[in-house]
Amino acid sequence: MATLVILVPGHRPYPVGDAQPVLTFGRSSGNTVIIDDPSISRLHARLRWEQGQAVLEDLGSRNGSQVNGAPLRGTRTVHPGDVITLGRVDLQVENRTAPLARVEEPEPDARNVTFTMNVDKLRRLEAGQGSGEAPRLRQALDLIHDQSLLLLSETSAETMLADLLERLAPLLKPSRAAVLLQGPGGQLEQVAVWTPVGPSLEPIRLSRTLVDAAVHRREAMLMNDPMADPRFGQASSIVLSNLTSIMTVPLEHEGKVAGLLYFDAGPSREPFTEEDLRLAASLGHLAAAKLQHDRMAAEIRKKRDLEREMEIARQIQERLLPADLPEVAGYDLLGENISCLHVSGDLYGFWPRPDGRMWLAIADVAGKGVGPGLLMATFQAYMEAWSGSDLDPADLAARLSATLGRNTPSNRYITAFLARLDPATHTLEYTSAGHNPALLLRQSGAVERLESQGLPLAMFPGSVYGQSRVRLEPDDLLCLYTDGITEAAAPDGTEFELERLEALLRIHHGAPLPQLNGALQAALGHHTQGSPMTDDRTLLVLRRNPA
């Protein structure tokens, strides 16, 4: 699979390719790569993977972007070996992905495992309790614990993890040291590797025993003379590296393992000791706590940003609903929308015409949240634009369906009841695009159900719709609603259903419309017994006044 990797100072490598087609860079928490540098804008740049190439675009940053020292204007394709400069920060483009640790199956002989202990017990050991304790190491442990306070500062976890190896290497003197974190799929991904000659991208190979001990059993493990085990000694990584001592420590905090620290050494160094393991475990615990804290803080920031965006979307959508009900001679009107989320997928509206007639509609988008809310805003805009035309309800539904369907995913559609009222003749022309039956309650108490006359809008563009006409007599009441009302469920799953709605309308037929709505909301609350709403509830009621 074609992939490049972007190397950012103090960060793990970031792949961009078929599996990760977009990277955004900036100081804002909403970016893929968050770079905490004053020269970086909140939304600085974007890297897109298009047709097997990485295309860089500056997003109007304050300090600009460069590729190999040349200012970036518009977009530019970047290649392995290029240097991307964002503000004052240099990024490297490499033709490789972040290496995954290779877990090998051969198991070591238990006789060659020098020391293993549960990480919680290991941390509780005090200096002087381990074997081979030396004053130099005790002093080093105190020093590292003092310096570990810096790990609780505002330094990012990624920077801290890279620095952690630099802090431990002079004390442990390993041949190699690595930080490996669990990726989304559970694989161990190298985020930093230390060697005496500098950082390395060479993949670390681990035995299954080491991985299981650290990740699954939360155990730190010290293994000296692994070559003595013929099965384990045949592992190519150990044979080629001539390893004589290996040490792993889980990055664990409050029972959650984020990854592990790995150290190995060859014959030129004395084997690692229990004190070395305790030292690494102490710092590993702090590193894991910092990593979890940063992840939780990022999640909180992301959630807050999303909540702010949702609140803005909700405010915008509220403005799409009628702020005031139109005054129609001889008629009373009521409309209400109660969303189960920040953004509703329901809508109702009134659109008076210059000739005295008026369009009214209720609609429900399949799904919930921002996507349906945006589609509903589009529906409202089309109604606003076309309500003044001479289209009949059936023709309006056909045009809405064709237009919405051109730019709507196949799993998004709108059920809608569209009607045009003529107050002068008291006639109502209507069509129903897959919507719940409207209820026309006559003054006599009889209920007529105005059934669907076509498929939901945008489901099959090009569909043909029927239409009908009814005359409204004095004291007749028309009730339009969405299925969030009739499908409101009790704790045992029993729905409110259409029959309960009809019965309630008969009882409160002559009441003022706000009182009727209050009775309906009370009945819904009594039926659901406080159960959370699972769908938006929208109501539109029209009643002709008594003669």
Side-chain angles (χ1 to χ4, degrees):
M1 182 180 293
T3 308
L4 295 180
V5 65
I6 308 302
L7 304 181
V8 183
H11 289 241
R12 64 174 177 82
Y14 289 94
V16 59
D18 298 325
Q20 176 69 50
V22 179
L23 294 178
T24 58
F25 304 84
R27 288 187 294 108
S28 171
S29 61
N31 290 287
T32 315
V33 184
I34 304 171
I35 305 177
D36 188 14
D37 186 280
S39 68
I40 301 295
S41 298
R42 285 177 53 81
L43 298 173
H44 198 107
R46 175 169 53 215
L47 190 64
R48 303 191 311 275
W49 188 256
E50 297 180 351
Q51 299 179 350
Q53 293 184 317
V55 179
L56 182 66
E57 176 186 9
D58 188 273
L59 299 178
S61 64
R62 182 178 67 255
N63 294 313
S65 305
Q66 300 178 31
V67 177
N68 300 328
L72 176 63
R73 296 182 177 86
T75 61
R76 176 170 172 175
T77 301
V78 295
H79 306 279
D82 285 348
V83 177
I84 299 172
T85 303
L86 307 180
R88 296 191 299 268
V89 180
D90 290 338
L91 285 59
Q92 302 287 333
V93 182
E94 297 290 344
N95 191 23
R96 68 182 83 184
T97 60
L100 297 177
R102 297 185 182 180
V103 179
E104 300 179 339
E105 295 301 334
E107 301 290 336
D109 192 303
R111 293 170 298 179
N112 296 317
V113 177
T114 304
F115 183 72
T116 180
M117 182 178 290
N118 180 276
V119 69
D120 292 327
K121 184 177 180 181
L122 184 66
R123 292 190 196 113
R124 288 195 294 269
L125 289 177
E126 297 179 357
Q129 290 184 313
S131 63
E133 199 78 58
R136 183 184 64 83
L137 284 178
R138 289 200 299 271
Q139 294 171 3
L141 182 59
D142 292 338
L143 175 62
I144 293 298
H145 275 296
D146 290 340
Q147 291 179 339
S148 69
L149 296 176
L150 298 176
L151 302 178
L152 304 178
S153 67
E154 294 184 358
T155 302
S156 71
E158 291 178 333
T159 301
M160 178 212 64
L161 287 169
D163 292 342
L164 179 59
L165 298 187
E166 297 292 337
R167 294 172 183 268
L168 281 173
L171 294 168
L172 300 181
K173 296 181 174 60
S175 299
R176 294 182 303 174
V179 177
L180 303 103
L181 297 182
Q182 290 199 84
Q187 292 180 306
L188 289 173
E189 179 180 320
Q190 294 175 198
V191 296
V193 176
W194 180 93
T195 69
V197 296
S200 171
L201 286 175
E202 184 69 23
I204 296 291
R205 297 184 180 185
L206 303 176
S207 79
R208 176 65 61 185
T209 294
L210 296 175
V211 173
D212 288 345
V215 176
H216 301 299
R217 299 198 301 273
R218 300 170 52 241
E219 291 179 346
M221 178 173 284
L222 170 60
M223 184 183 304
N224 287 326
D225 199 15
M227 294 285 290
D229 183 351
R231 291 172 298 168
F232 192 71
Q234 290 176 359
S236 60
S237 58
I238 295 178
V239 173
L240 294 176
S241 302
N242 194 23
L243 300 179
T244 59
S245 190
I246 300 174
M247 186 167 60
T248 55
V249 172
L251 291 173
E252 181 272 342
H253 181 68
E254 296 182 349
K256 297 180 179 180
V257 178
L260 59 89
L261 298 179
Y262 171 86
F263 305 89
D264 63 32
S268 62
R269 184 209 189 280
E270 291 294 323
F272 294 124
T273 65
E274 295 175 21
E275 173 61 22
D276 294 331
L277 191 66
R278 183 161 53 251
L279 176 63
S282 297
L283 278 175
H285 175 60
L286 288 176
K290 176 65 174 177
L291 186 65
Q292 184 175 342
H293 173 272
D294 279 14
R295 286 178 175 175
M296 292 178 63
E299 290 176 1
I300 291 173
R301 288 194 300 269
K302 185 176 181 179
K303 182 179 179 181
R304 288 176 178 171
D305 290 344
L306 179 60
E307 287 176 347
R308 282 194 295 268
E309 292 173 1
M310 294 287 283
E311 177 61 21
I312 293 172
R314 185 189 64 81
Q315 293 174 2
I316 292 173
Q317 190 176 47
E318 282 184 348
R319 296 190 184 101
L320 299 178
L321 297 172
D324 298 300
L325 299 177
E327 293 186 5
V328 181
Y331 287 85
D332 290 333
L333 304 173
L334 179 139
E336 182 170 63
N337 168 259
I338 302 175
S339 173
C340 70
L341 299 174
H342 282 288
V343 182
S344 174
D346 288 1
L347 178 137
Y348 73 90
F350 306 93
W351 294 270
R353 292 167 47 93
D355 60 8
R357 292 183 294 175
M358 179 181 71
W359 282 97
L360 56 140
I362 192 169
D364 182 0
V365 178
K368 306 174 185 65
V370 175
L374 294 174
L375 183 55
M376 192 54 72
T378 304
F379 170 84
Q380 197 271 354
Y382 286 139
M383 284 296 300
E384 194 74 37
W386 295 334
S387 60
S389 70
D390 293 328
L391 292 171
D392 288 331
D395 295 332
L396 177 59
R399 178 177 290 188
L400 286 167
S401 183
T403 306
L404 292 168
R406 283 198 293 268
N407 302 301
T408 302
S410 58
N411 63 340
R412 287 277 185 262
Y413 53 85
I414 303 175
T415 68
F417 187 95
L418 309 174
R420 184 170 57 191
L421 173 68
D422 187 342
T425 61
H426 304 294
T427 56
L428 185 82
E429 299 172 292
Y430 70 90
T431 188
S432 176
H435 199 72
N436 311 86
L439 299 179
L440 179 56
L441 185 65
R442 296 297 189 178
Q443 192 276 338
S444 63
V447 176
E448 299 176 17
R449 295 185 180 182
L450 309 185
E451 301 286 352
S452 173
Q453 296 173 312
L455 295 170
L457 304 177
M459 178 175 282
F460 291 105
S463 296
V464 177
Y465 294 86
Q467 71 177 51
S468 298
R469 175 184 297 184
V470 294
R471 176 178 170 81
L472 300 179
E473 302 296 341
D475 223 18
D476 282 353
L477 182 145
L478 176 68
C479 177
L480 311 180
Y481 58 93
T482 59
D483 56 13
I485 292 177
T486 52
E487 295 178 5
D492 64 0
T494 303
E495 295 184 347
F496 191 74
E497 297 182 342
L498 186 57
E499 289 71 22
R500 282 191 176 89
L501 179 57
E502 288 184 359
L504 184 139
L505 293 176
R506 287 192 180 97
I507 294 172
H508 300 279
H509 178 211
L513 296 187
Q515 183 177 326
L516 183 152
N517 182 42
L520 174 60
Q521 300 307 324
L524 288 168
H526 177 75
H527 178 75
T528 59
Q529 299 180 37
S531 299
M533 289 176 56
T534 58
D535 200 358
D536 306 327
R537 298 175 185 170
T538 303
L539 182 71
L540 188 157
V541 182
L542 167 75
R543 180 167 58 198
R544 181 180 173 186
N545 293 333

